[in-house]
Structure formats: structure tokens, C-alpha cells
Amino acid sequence: MALHLDVVGVVVADMARSLDFYRRLGLAIPPEADAEDHVEVTLPGGLRLAWDAVTMVRTFHPGWTPPTGSPRVSLAFRCADPAEVDRYWAELTGAGFHGELPPWDAFWGQRYAVLHDPDGNGVDLYAPLPG
């Protein structure tokens, strides 16, 4: 069988805060998930995004420690249009989430912005620029 990317997992310190961030991006995550140690949603196209509380991870990896420094992997969410990039940026930074790079028109033809989720993971927003 050929490999198939099926799940992207994120380790979180505060499940409710992390899920609030991703709900603001439009992910349908039920409110009762805030109290769970493991949560996952299936995205359009079938890829699953999962969150595990640090306490859950340490049940099978007792020596786990959070990484330090800048993130090396980012989740990139395509927006409907450049205005949506700006809207999500304003909503998330206005709610107190960290904005790393404010929206700009990138030379590669996209409106682009970079945020960090509550655990410091890179979350990119982008949309094609009108042509």
C-alpha cells in the first residue's frame, strides 16, 4: 500500500484555547471537545486534523517536551479571496492570538499572512491575488 497522509497532529497545552483559535478559522469543532484530551476533525478532502493535550501525549511518551524556537512546519489555510485573509487576520489578532506577519501581497501572487496558534505553531492564511 502506498503511503497516504491521513492525520496532522498538534500537541496543545490548553485544549479550549487552541480549539477556539481553529474554530475562528471556520473548523466545525463541537463545544464539548474543549474538555477532551484528544480531538479530531475531518477536513474537506478527507485529511484529519487532531489535537492532543500535553497530558495525553505524556501517557505514552513520558519524556516529551515542547520544542523551542520558531516553528518548522506550518498549517496553511486557503481563503476565498484576499479580503478573507485580512478578515481572519483581524479577527484572530483582535481576539489576542499572535500575529507573526501581517497580510501582504506576496511576489508569488498571493495575499499572505502568518499567525501562531496558542502553542506557537505556524498557521498561514493565503488567497490568490486577482490576476
Side-chain angles (χ1 to χ4, degrees):
M1 175 176 146
L3 290 177
H4 172 81
L5 182 61
D6 184 52
V7 179
V8 174
V10 179
V11 178
V12 302
D14 181 337
M15 185 67 78
R17 181 78 171 144
S18 292
L19 296 182
D20 178 43
F21 177 90
Y22 289 96
R23 281 186 191 104
R24 290 173 186 269
L25 288 174
L27 298 185
I29 306 166
E32 60 272 13
D34 290 358
E36 299 294 327
D37 287 333
H38 174 84
V39 177
E40 61 182 65
V41 297
T42 301
L43 304 172
L47 180 68
R48 292 180 293 153
L49 184 54
W51 299 268
D52 287 299
V54 170
T55 53
M56 167 65 84
V57 171
R58 288 193 175 138
T59 65
F60 59 85
H61 188 343
W64 184 88
T65 58
T68 59
S70 297
R72 296 186 66 144
V73 174
S74 292
L75 301 175
F77 290 87
R78 182 178 176 147
C79 298
D81 54 43
E84 192 171 58
V85 172
D86 295 352
R87 183 177 62 79
Y88 278 127
W89 170 268
E91 179 180 337
L92 288 158
T93 58
F97 296 105
H98 176 73
E100 180 69 12
L101 296 173
W104 81 95
D105 292 343
F107 68 87
W108 56 84
Q110 294 174 331
R111 183 77 172 159
Y112 217 91
V114 179
L115 299 139
H116 287 163
D117 74 7
D119 296 285
N121 299 302
V123 176
D124 300 1
L125 304 173
Y126 71 95
L129 290 169

